[in-house]
């Protein structure tokens, strides 16, 4: 079980994310250290959502858990489109 502090009392300037940014992100499959994996390429993601990429150390890393906020908003955008089409 991995958790992160997310209490409203710890945050300022709370804004809803732009779910449309998900359409600019690319999910990839790859081989790293001889094992198959999936995810994103940090350099590509950094162009869309730089707050999700860390430049500490020799290699860039991605805060995968923080992608969830974008995915939630993207799903809500899609649901809104589905609801409009159903009318």
């Amino acid at each position: 079980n991995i958790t992160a502090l997310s209490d409203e009392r710890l945050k300022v300037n709370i804004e809803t994310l732009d779910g449309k940014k998900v359409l600019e992100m690319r999910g990839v499959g790859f081989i790293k250290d001889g094992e198959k994996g999936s995810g994103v390429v940090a350099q590509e993601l950094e162009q869309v959502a730089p707050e999700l990429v860390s430049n500490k150390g020799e290699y860039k890393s991605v805060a995968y858990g923080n992608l969830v906020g974008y995915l939630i908003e993207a799903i809500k955008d899609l649901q809104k489109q589905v609801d409009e089409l159903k009318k």
Side-chain angles (χ1 to χ4, degrees), residues 9-46:
R9 297 170 292 177
L10 300 172
K11 302 174 182 184
V12 296
N13 299 330
I14 298 171
E15 298 176 358
T16 301
L17 294 171
D18 181 0
K20 290 177 182 58
K21 283 190 174 186
V22 169
L23 301 176
E24 301 174 46
M25 298 176 186
R26 181 171 75 118
V28 298
F30 53 83
I31 296 176
K32 185 180 105 184
D33 300 327
E35 294 187 26
K36 287 186 177 183
S38 62
V40 297
V41 175
Q43 287 83 348
E44 293 177 4
L45 185 63
E46 191 171 33

Side-chain angles (χ1 to χ4, degrees), residues 9 13 27-28 31 34 53 63 71 76 78 84:
R9 297 170 292 177
N13 299 330
V28 298
I31 296 176
V53 178
L71 298 175
K76 288 166 49 179
L78 288 172
E84 288 174 6

Side-chain angles (χ1 to χ4, degrees), residues 35-67:
E35 294 187 26
K36 287 186 177 183
S38 62
V40 297
V41 175
Q43 287 83 348
E44 293 177 4
L45 185 63
E46 191 171 33
Q47 300 302 310
V48 179
E51 73 278 10
L52 299 179
V53 178
S54 174
N55 291 299
K56 298 174 185 168
E58 183 179 355
Y59 300 105
K60 295 177 184 284
S61 61
V62 172
Y64 278 98
N66 294 348
L67 274 168

